[in-house]
Amino acid sequence: MKTSPKLVCPSCRGSRLALGNPGPRTFVPQQKLMLVGFPVYYVACLDCGHVGFCLSEVHRSKLEGKLQSG
């Protein structure tokens, strides 16, 4: 998975993140009617232990394009 160079922990701003596999859910923006959403990946911070979710850089870019086109 290609990640953004800007990817940092939202809790401690650390950059030592462990990326996990896609979760069972997808992200679908409220502003767009979409049948298929974007896969969400697990992220764990090795500095503070925060666990969260993120989109891959490819899907983030596609989402941005969809939101700007409409």
Side-chain angles (χ1 to χ4, degrees):
M1 175 176 101
K2 184 179 177 194
T3 60
S4 171
K6 298 177 185 177
L7 189 62
V8 295
C9 175
S11 180
C12 74
R13 307 301 294 164
S15 60
R16 295 183 336 119
L17 302 174
L19 300 174
N21 293 323
R25 300 181 187 256
T26 59
F27 176 80
V28 179
Q30 289 183 344
Q31 299 91 339
K32 291 286 183 179
L33 179 60
M34 296 176 59
L35 296 177
V36 178
F38 299 95
V40 177
Y41 292 84
Y42 291 104
V43 179
C45 178
L46 299 176
D47 292 321
C48 73
H50 177 84
V51 175
F53 305 97
C54 72
L55 297 174
S56 71
E57 181 62 21
V58 170
H59 289 122
R60 186 215 51 84
S61 179
K62 286 181 181 179
L63 172 61
E64 186 174 32
K66 286 189 179 294
L67 293 176
Q68 289 178 352
S69 69

